[in-house]
Amino acid sequence: MSAEITAPAYRVIPIIPALERGAMEGSRPHVANEKMQQDIGFPGQLVDDWHDRVIAKMGELLSKYRSLKVYLDACVHCGACSDKCHYFIGTHDPKNMPVARQDLMRSVYRRYFTIPGKLFPKLVGARDLTREVLDEWYTYFNQCSECRRCSVFCPYGIDTAEVTMAAKELLDSVGYGQKYSNEIIGKVHRIGNNLGLPGPALENTLEGLEEDVKDDTGIDVRFPLDVKGADVLLITPSADFFAEPHIDSLIGYAKVFHAAGISWTLSSMASEAGNFGMFIGNYDQLRAIALRVREAALELGVKRIVVGECGHAWRVAYSFWNTLTGIGSGADDPFAIQLQKQLDHRYKQPMHICELTWDLIEQGALTFNKEANDQYIVTFHDSCNVARGSRMGDFAGGQFEIPRNIIRAVANNFVEMRDGTTREQTFCCGGGGGLLTDELLDLRVKGALPRMEALQQVADTHGVNFMATICAICKAQFTKVLPYYGFDRRVVGGVHQLVSNAIRLGDK
């Protein structure tokens, strides 16, 4: 029987923890089965010639991504990143120091791709790629959420997330993939969303939401699906269709569109904003998933594409869609050109739902009863992929200010968590990067420690009882781990959940 999962104690002073070597060496996610692997184009199980294939694939990645080579070469082991990782802080395992986790790959890179490593391996920390090393990669690169917090503090700007993504691509390429992420990617290819929710079930869910909102407000607020000619295509995480508190934000989006008189639609073909292709570092998977959005936009003839509350989905949309699919600008294939002609370039393409809502607030198109949220004293958790991998609005730091501006517009009581735990230095929720799976719950609970410490502080000093966020993974992670730290799971919710509570519909 597995050991009971408990939350680590809060730190009295936030310093580097005492090291516990091997503390998390037994924590690893389930390996994808043969069908899951083959369904998305990877070998079904670990191939016999895995050693040679890994080295060849590493050479391919190094030649394709110059940044990866720079990151593997540049580190001087200064230690600036050592205590910046939430998993190291929570687990005390030294291999969860960002520099140590990078070195798991860096040591192999030096052995096979540098002259000193080939001639004098022990002098430069180079090591042979063995099965034990491969297993170590699988264990510890699946203890990195790719949040990039360590990169903020690195004097050379080494992006540990890119090293982790490369490691996962190497593992997949030889049939050693992770079940949770690869199973989800397969569902998107087959059905259109991470949950495997088919079109008829989605339609039924949306009809039920219309009934619920009508009962609650007396207003006919629509949740349209596959409506051709709508102005806006909303691409939102599939968790918004059924999970709590996610669904309350979906209701908020619908109320915003209704109040502003904007025609919009969801798509059964592209019923998922999330893109786990990024988590496994595979750009072919990343592009194939993103192309579903382009295909849906062309089929429905929409003029705008808006992304719901999902952290990594917004990073993918903001940073990758343009060159992967031509949403925005960048691609030059015929379908990308067709889409560019179709979209209305008076608006950002794509646009985050927070950008849309804040623009409407500034225009005076939405009005609110802020007292509807008076039961809450609100704080805001910056999701890592939004904070460090994207932007909103027309000014630097818009991804930080716009969600906060919305909160202040719809609620009377807002409190910031302490400096060093928010904005570009925000701590990850502990469940990102494809790690939101039950067999990693111990890791997830421990990884949440720094955020829980900051939340506990404002709860104690200001009575904070609601932590808003704009990420589906953060919402799912916190609802699971909050009780381990003595909080009610309902403490977490979406920004548009607050919008939904306060927005005035009908006669204003």
Coordinates of all heavy atoms in Angstrom, one line a residue, residues 57-124:
K57 N 18.7 11.1 -32.2 CA 17.6 12.1 -32.0 C 18.1 13.4 -31.3 O 17.8 14.5 -31.7 CB 16.5 11.5 -31.3 CG 15.2 12.4 -31.1 CD 14.5 12.6 -32.5 CE 13.3 13.4 -32.4 NZ 12.6 13.6 -33.7
M58 N 19.0 13.2 -30.3 CA 19.6 14.3 -29.7 C 20.4 15.2 -30.6 O 20.3 16.4 -30.6 CB 20.5 13.9 -28.5 CG 21.0 15.1 -27.7 SD 22.1 14.6 -26.3 CE 20.9 13.9 -25.2
G59 N 21.1 14.5 -31.5 CA 21.9 15.3 -32.5 C 20.9 16.1 -33.4 O 21.2 17.2 -33.8
E60 N 19.8 15.4 -33.8 CA 18.8 16.1 -34.6 C 18.3 17.4 -33.9 O 18.1 18.4 -34.5 CB 17.7 15.2 -35.0 CG 16.5 15.8 -35.8 CD 15.4 14.8 -35.9 OE1 15.6 13.6 -36.0 OE2 14.2 15.3 -35.9
L61 N 17.9 17.2 -32.6 CA 17.4 18.3 -31.9 C 18.4 19.5 -31.8 O 18.1 20.6 -31.8 CB 16.8 17.9 -30.5 CG 15.7 16.9 -30.5 CD1 15.3 16.6 -29.1 CD2 14.5 17.4 -31.3
L62 N 19.6 19.1 -31.5 CA 20.7 20.1 -31.3 C 20.9 20.9 -32.6 O 21.2 22.1 -32.6 CB 22.0 19.4 -30.9 CG 22.0 18.9 -29.5 CD1 23.2 17.9 -29.3 CD2 22.0 20.0 -28.5
S63 N 20.8 20.2 -33.8 CA 21.0 20.9 -35.0 C 19.7 21.7 -35.4 O 19.9 22.8 -36.1 CB 21.3 19.9 -36.2 OG 20.2 19.0 -36.3
K64 N 18.6 21.3 -35.0 CA 17.3 22.0 -35.3 C 17.1 23.2 -34.4 O 16.6 24.3 -34.8 CB 16.2 21.0 -35.2 CG 14.8 21.6 -35.7 CD 13.7 20.6 -35.5 CE 13.8 19.4 -36.4 NZ 12.6 18.5 -36.3
Y65 N 17.4 23.1 -33.1 CA 17.1 24.1 -32.1 C 18.4 24.6 -31.5 O 19.0 24.0 -30.6 CB 16.2 23.6 -31.0 CG 14.9 22.9 -31.6 CD1 14.6 21.6 -31.3 CD2 14.1 23.6 -32.4 CE1 13.5 21.0 -31.8 CE2 12.9 23.0 -32.9 CZ 12.6 21.7 -32.6 OH 11.5 21.1 -33.1
R66 N 18.9 25.7 -32.1 CA 20.2 26.2 -31.6 C 20.1 26.6 -30.1 O 21.1 26.5 -29.4 CB 20.6 27.5 -32.4 CG 21.9 28.1 -32.1 CD 22.3 29.2 -33.0 NE 21.3 30.3 -32.9 CZ 21.4 31.5 -33.6 NH1 22.4 31.6 -34.4 NH2 20.5 32.4 -33.4
S67 N 18.9 27.0 -29.7 CA 18.8 27.4 -28.3 C 19.1 26.2 -27.3 O 19.7 26.4 -26.3 CB 17.3 27.9 -28.0 OG 16.4 26.9 -28.4
L68 N 18.7 25.0 -27.7 CA 19.0 23.8 -26.9 C 20.5 23.7 -26.6 O 20.9 23.4 -25.5 CB 18.4 22.6 -27.5 CG 18.6 21.3 -26.7 CD1 18.0 21.3 -25.3 CD2 18.0 20.1 -27.5
K69 N 21.2 23.8 -27.7 CA 22.7 23.7 -27.6 C 23.3 24.8 -26.7 O 24.1 24.5 -25.8 CB 23.4 23.7 -28.9 CG 24.9 23.4 -28.9 CD 25.4 23.4 -30.3 CE 26.9 23.0 -30.3 NZ 27.8 23.8 -29.4
V70 N 22.7 26.0 -26.8 CA 23.2 27.1 -26.0 C 22.9 26.8 -24.5 O 23.8 27.0 -23.7 CB 22.5 28.4 -26.5 CG1 22.8 29.5 -25.4 CG2 23.0 28.8 -27.8
Y71 N 21.7 26.3 -24.2 CA 21.3 26.0 -22.9 C 22.2 24.9 -22.3 O 22.5 25.0 -21.1 CB 19.9 25.7 -22.8 CG 18.9 26.8 -23.2 CD1 17.7 26.4 -23.8 CD2 19.2 28.1 -23.0 CE1 16.8 27.4 -24.2 CE2 18.4 29.1 -23.4 CZ 17.1 28.8 -24.0 OH 16.3 29.7 -24.4
L72 N 22.5 23.9 -23.1 CA 23.4 22.8 -22.5 C 24.8 23.3 -22.4 O 25.5 22.7 -21.5 CB 23.3 21.6 -23.5 CG 21.9 20.9 -23.5 CD1 21.9 19.8 -24.5 CD2 21.5 20.4 -22.1
D73 N 25.2 24.2 -23.1 CA 26.6 24.7 -23.1 C 26.8 25.8 -22.0 O 27.9 25.9 -21.5 CB 27.1 25.2 -24.4 CG 27.5 24.1 -25.4 OD1 27.8 23.0 -24.9 OD2 27.4 24.3 -26.6
A74 N 25.8 26.6 -21.8 CA 26.0 27.9 -21.1 C 26.1 27.8 -19.6 O 26.7 28.7 -19.0 CB 24.9 28.9 -21.5
C75 N 25.5 26.8 -19.0 CA 25.4 26.8 -17.5 C 26.8 26.8 -16.9 O 27.7 26.0 -17.3 CB 24.6 25.6 -17.1 SG 24.4 25.4 -15.3
V76 N 27.0 27.6 -15.9 CA 28.3 27.7 -15.1 C 28.1 27.2 -13.7 O 28.9 27.4 -12.8 CB 28.9 29.1 -15.1 CG1 29.3 29.5 -16.6 CG2 27.9 30.1 -14.5
H77 N 26.9 26.6 -13.4 CA 26.6 26.1 -12.0 C 26.8 27.1 -11.0 O 27.4 26.9 -9.9 CB 27.5 24.9 -11.7 CG 27.2 23.7 -12.6 ND1 27.7 23.6 -13.9 CD2 26.5 22.6 -12.4 CE1 27.3 22.4 -14.4 NE2 26.5 21.8 -13.5
C78 N 26.2 28.3 -11.2 CA 26.3 29.4 -10.3 C 25.4 29.2 -9.1 O 25.5 29.8 -8.0 CB 26.0 30.7 -10.9 SG 24.3 31.0 -11.5
G79 N 24.3 28.4 -9.3 CA 23.4 28.1 -8.2 C 22.2 29.1 -8.1 O 21.4 28.9 -7.1
A80 N 22.1 30.1 -9.0 CA 21.1 31.1 -8.8 C 19.7 30.4 -8.9 O 18.7 30.9 -8.4 CB 21.2 32.1 -9.9
C81 N 19.6 29.3 -9.7 CA 18.3 28.7 -9.9 C 17.9 27.7 -8.8 O 16.8 27.2 -8.7 CB 18.2 28.0 -11.2 SG 19.3 26.5 -11.3
S82 N 18.9 27.3 -7.9 CA 18.8 26.1 -7.1 C 17.5 26.1 -6.2 O 16.8 25.1 -6.2 CB 20.0 26.0 -6.2 OG 21.2 25.8 -6.9
D83 N 17.2 27.2 -5.6 CA 16.0 27.2 -4.7 C 14.8 27.9 -5.3 O 13.9 28.3 -4.6 CB 16.4 27.9 -3.4 CG 16.8 29.4 -3.6 OD1 17.1 29.7 -4.8 OD2 16.7 30.2 -2.7
K84 N 14.8 28.0 -6.6 CA 13.6 28.7 -7.3 C 12.6 27.7 -7.8 O 11.5 28.1 -8.2 CB 14.2 29.5 -8.5 CG 15.3 30.4 -8.2 CD 14.9 31.4 -7.0 CE 16.0 32.5 -6.8 NZ 17.2 31.9 -6.3
C85 N 12.8 26.4 -7.7 CA 11.9 25.4 -8.2 C 11.0 25.0 -7.1 O 11.4 24.6 -6.0 CB 12.6 24.2 -8.8 SG 11.5 22.8 -9.3
H86 N 9.7 25.0 -7.3 CA 8.7 24.6 -6.3 C 8.8 23.2 -6.0 O 8.5 22.8 -4.8 CB 7.3 24.9 -6.8 CG 7.0 24.4 -8.2 ND1 7.6 25.0 -9.3 CD2 6.2 23.4 -8.6 CE1 7.1 24.3 -10.4 NE2 6.3 23.3 -10.0
Y87 N 9.2 22.3 -6.9 CA 9.3 20.9 -6.6 C 10.6 20.7 -5.7 O 10.5 19.8 -4.8 CB 9.4 20.1 -7.9 CG 8.2 20.0 -8.7 CD1 8.1 20.4 -10.0 CD2 7.0 19.6 -8.1 CE1 6.9 20.3 -10.7 CE2 5.8 19.6 -8.8 CZ 5.8 19.9 -10.1 OH 4.6 19.9 -10.8
F88 N 11.6 21.4 -5.9 CA 12.8 21.2 -5.0 C 12.4 21.7 -3.7 O 12.8 21.1 -2.6 CB 14.0 22.0 -5.6 CG 15.2 22.0 -4.6 CD1 15.7 20.8 -4.1 CD2 15.7 23.2 -4.2 CE1 16.8 20.8 -3.2 CE2 16.7 23.2 -3.2 CZ 17.3 22.0 -2.8
I89 N 11.8 22.9 -3.6 CA 11.4 23.4 -2.3 C 10.5 22.4 -1.5 O 10.7 22.3 -0.3 CB 10.7 24.8 -2.5 CG1 11.6 25.8 -3.0 CG2 10.0 25.2 -1.2 CD1 11.0 27.1 -3.4
G90 N 9.6 21.8 -2.2 CA 8.6 20.9 -1.6 C 9.2 19.5 -1.3 O 8.7 18.9 -0.3
T91 N 10.1 19.0 -2.2 CA 10.5 17.6 -2.0 C 11.9 17.5 -1.4 O 12.2 16.4 -0.9 CB 10.6 16.9 -3.4 OG1 11.7 17.5 -4.2 CG2 9.3 17.1 -4.2
H92 N 12.7 18.5 -1.5 CA 14.1 18.5 -0.9 C 15.0 17.6 -1.7 O 16.2 17.4 -1.4 CB 14.2 18.1 0.5 CG 13.4 19.0 1.4 ND1 13.4 18.8 2.8 CD2 12.5 20.0 1.2 CE1 12.6 19.7 3.4 NE2 12.0 20.4 2.4
D93 N 14.6 17.0 -2.8 CA 15.4 16.1 -3.6 C 16.3 17.0 -4.5 O 15.9 17.8 -5.3 CB 14.5 15.3 -4.5 CG 15.3 14.1 -5.2 OD1 16.5 14.4 -5.6 OD2 14.8 13.0 -5.3
P94 N 17.7 16.9 -4.3 CA 18.6 17.7 -5.0 C 18.5 17.6 -6.6 O 18.8 18.5 -7.3 CB 20.0 17.3 -4.6 CG 19.8 15.9 -4.0 CD 18.4 15.9 -3.4
K95 N 18.0 16.5 -7.1 CA 17.8 16.3 -8.5 C 16.7 17.1 -9.0 O 16.5 17.2 -10.3 CB 17.7 14.9 -8.9 CG 19.0 14.1 -8.8 CD 18.9 12.7 -9.2 CE 20.3 12.0 -9.0 NZ 20.2 10.5 -9.3
N96 N 15.9 17.7 -8.2 CA 14.9 18.7 -8.6 C 15.3 20.1 -8.5 O 14.5 21.0 -8.8 CB 13.6 18.5 -7.7 CG 12.7 17.4 -8.3 OD1 12.6 17.2 -9.5 ND2 12.0 16.7 -7.4
M97 N 16.6 20.3 -8.2 CA 17.2 21.7 -8.5 C 17.2 21.8 -10.0 O 17.6 20.9 -10.7 CB 18.6 21.8 -7.9 CG 18.7 21.8 -6.5 SD 20.5 22.0 -6.0 CE 20.4 22.0 -4.2
P98 N 16.8 22.9 -10.6 CA 16.8 23.1 -12.0 C 18.2 22.7 -12.7 O 18.2 22.0 -13.7 CB 16.4 24.5 -12.2 CG 15.6 24.8 -11.1 CD 16.2 24.1 -9.9
V99 N 19.3 23.2 -12.0 CA 20.6 22.9 -12.6 C 20.9 21.4 -12.6 O 21.5 20.9 -13.5 CB 21.7 23.7 -11.9 CG1 21.7 23.4 -10.4 CG2 23.0 23.5 -12.5
A100 N 20.5 20.7 -11.5 CA 20.8 19.3 -11.4 C 19.9 18.5 -12.4 O 20.4 17.5 -13.0 CB 20.5 18.8 -10.0
R101 N 18.7 18.9 -12.6 CA 17.8 18.2 -13.5 C 18.3 18.4 -15.0 O 18.4 17.5 -15.8 CB 16.4 18.8 -13.4 CG 15.4 17.8 -14.1 CD 14.0 18.4 -14.1 NE 13.4 18.5 -12.8 CZ 13.1 19.7 -12.2 NH1 13.4 20.8 -12.8 NH2 12.6 19.7 -11.0
Q102 N 18.8 19.6 -15.3 CA 19.4 19.9 -16.6 C 20.6 19.0 -16.8 O 20.9 18.4 -17.9 CB 19.9 21.3 -16.8 CG 18.8 22.4 -16.8 CD 19.4 23.7 -16.7 OE1 20.5 24.0 -17.2 NE2 18.7 24.6 -16.0
D103 N 21.4 18.8 -15.7 CA 22.6 18.0 -15.8 C 22.4 16.6 -16.2 O 23.3 15.9 -16.6 CB 23.4 18.2 -14.6 CG 24.3 19.4 -14.5 OD1 24.4 20.1 -15.6 OD2 24.9 19.7 -13.5
L104 N 21.2 16.1 -15.9 CA 20.9 14.7 -16.3 C 21.0 14.5 -17.8 O 21.5 13.5 -18.3 CB 19.5 14.3 -15.8 CG 19.2 14.4 -14.3 CD1 17.7 14.1 -14.1 CD2 20.1 13.5 -13.5
M105 N 20.6 15.6 -18.5 CA 20.8 15.5 -20.0 C 22.2 16.1 -20.4 O 22.8 15.6 -21.3 CB 19.7 16.3 -20.7 CG 19.9 16.2 -22.3 SD 18.7 17.2 -23.2 CE 17.2 16.3 -22.8
R106 N 22.6 17.2 -19.7 CA 23.8 17.8 -20.1 C 25.0 16.9 -20.0 O 25.9 16.9 -20.9 CB 24.1 19.0 -19.2 CG 25.3 19.9 -19.5 CD 25.4 21.1 -18.6 NE 24.4 22.1 -19.0 CZ 23.4 22.5 -18.2 NH1 23.2 22.0 -17.0 NH2 22.5 23.4 -18.6
S107 N 25.0 16.0 -19.0 CA 26.1 15.0 -18.9 C 26.2 14.1 -20.1 O 27.3 13.7 -20.6 CB 26.0 14.2 -17.6 OG 24.7 13.5 -17.6
V108 N 25.1 13.7 -20.6 CA 25.0 12.8 -21.8 C 25.4 13.6 -23.0 O 26.2 13.1 -23.9 CB 23.7 12.2 -22.0 CG1 23.6 11.4 -23.3 CG2 23.3 11.3 -20.8
Y109 N 24.9 14.8 -23.1 CA 25.3 15.7 -24.3 C 26.8 15.9 -24.3 O 27.4 15.7 -25.4 CB 24.6 17.1 -24.1 CG 25.3 18.2 -24.9 CD1 25.2 18.3 -26.2 CD2 26.0 19.2 -24.2 CE1 25.8 19.3 -26.9 CE2 26.6 20.2 -24.9 CZ 26.5 20.3 -26.3 OH 27.1 21.3 -26.9
R110 N 27.4 16.1 -23.2 CA 28.9 16.3 -23.2 C 29.6 15.0 -23.6 O 30.7 15.1 -24.3 CB 29.4 16.7 -21.8 CG 29.0 18.2 -21.4 CD 29.4 18.5 -20.0 NE 29.2 19.9 -19.7 CZ 29.2 20.5 -18.5 NH1 29.4 19.7 -17.5 NH2 29.0 21.8 -18.4
R111 N 29.1 13.9 -23.2 CA 29.8 12.6 -23.5 C 29.8 12.4 -25.0 O 30.8 11.9 -25.6 CB 29.1 11.5 -22.8 CG 29.8 10.1 -23.1 CD 31.1 10.1 -22.3 NE 31.8 8.8 -22.5 CZ 32.7 8.5 -23.4 NH1 33.1 9.5 -24.3 NH2 33.3 7.3 -23.5
Y112 N 28.8 12.7 -25.7 CA 28.6 12.3 -27.1 C 28.8 13.5 -28.1 O 28.9 13.2 -29.3 CB 27.3 11.6 -27.4 CG 27.2 10.3 -26.6 CD1 26.6 10.3 -25.3 CD2 27.7 9.1 -27.1 CE1 26.5 9.1 -24.6 CE2 27.6 8.0 -26.4 CZ 27.0 8.0 -25.1 OH 26.9 6.8 -24.4
F113 N 28.7 14.7 -27.7 CA 28.7 15.8 -28.6 C 29.7 16.9 -28.3 O 29.7 17.9 -29.0 CB 27.3 16.5 -28.6 CG 26.2 15.6 -29.1 CD1 25.5 14.8 -28.3 CD2 26.0 15.4 -30.5 CE1 24.5 13.9 -28.7 CE2 25.0 14.6 -31.0 CZ 24.3 13.8 -30.1
T114 N 30.7 16.7 -27.4 CA 31.7 17.6 -27.1 C 33.1 16.9 -27.1 O 33.1 15.7 -26.7 CB 31.6 18.4 -25.8 OG1 31.8 17.5 -24.7 CG2 30.2 19.0 -25.7
I115 N 34.1 17.5 -27.6 CA 35.4 16.9 -27.6 C 35.9 16.6 -26.2 O 36.4 15.4 -26.0 CB 36.4 17.8 -28.4 CG1 36.0 17.8 -29.9 CG2 37.8 17.2 -28.3 CD1 36.8 18.8 -30.7
P116 N 35.9 17.5 -25.3 CA 36.3 17.1 -23.9 C 35.6 16.0 -23.3 O 36.2 15.1 -22.6 CB 36.1 18.4 -23.1 CG 36.1 19.5 -24.1 CD 35.5 18.9 -25.3
G117 N 34.3 15.9 -23.6 CA 33.5 14.8 -23.1 C 33.9 13.4 -23.7 O 33.8 12.4 -23.0
K118 N 34.2 13.5 -24.9 CA 34.6 12.2 -25.6 C 36.0 11.8 -25.1 O 36.3 10.6 -25.0 CB 34.7 12.4 -27.1 CG 33.3 12.7 -27.7 CD 33.4 13.0 -29.2 CE 32.0 13.2 -29.9 NZ 32.1 13.5 -31.3
L119 N 36.9 12.7 -24.8 CA 38.3 12.4 -24.5 C 38.5 12.2 -23.0 O 39.2 11.3 -22.5 CB 39.2 13.4 -25.0 CG 39.3 13.6 -26.5 CD1 40.2 14.7 -26.9 CD2 39.7 12.3 -27.2
F120 N 37.9 13.1 -22.2 CA 38.1 13.1 -20.8 C 36.8 13.2 -20.0 O 36.5 14.2 -19.3 CB 39.0 14.3 -20.4 CG 40.2 14.5 -21.2 CD1 40.3 15.5 -22.2 CD2 41.3 13.6 -21.1 CE1 41.4 15.7 -23.0 CE2 42.4 13.8 -21.9 CZ 42.4 14.8 -22.9
P121 N 35.9 12.2 -20.1 CA 34.5 12.4 -19.6 C 34.5 12.7 -18.1 O 33.6 13.5 -17.7 CB 33.9 11.0 -19.9 CG 35.1 10.1 -20.2 CD 36.2 10.9 -20.8
K122 N 35.3 12.1 -17.3 CA 35.2 12.3 -15.9 C 35.6 13.7 -15.5 O 35.0 14.3 -14.5 CB 36.0 11.3 -15.1 CG 35.5 9.8 -15.2 CD 36.3 8.9 -14.4 CE 35.8 7.5 -14.4 NZ 36.6 6.5 -13.6
L123 N 36.5 14.3 -16.3 CA 36.9 15.7 -15.9 C 35.8 16.7 -16.2 O 35.8 17.8 -15.6 CB 38.2 16.0 -16.7 CG 39.4 15.2 -16.4 CD1 40.6 15.7 -17.3 CD2 39.8 15.5 -14.9
V124 N 34.9 16.4 -17.1 CA 33.9 17.4 -17.5 C 32.5 17.0 -17.1 O 31.5 17.6 -17.6 CB 34.0 17.8 -19.0 CG1 35.3 18.4 -19.3 CG2 33.8 16.5 -19.8

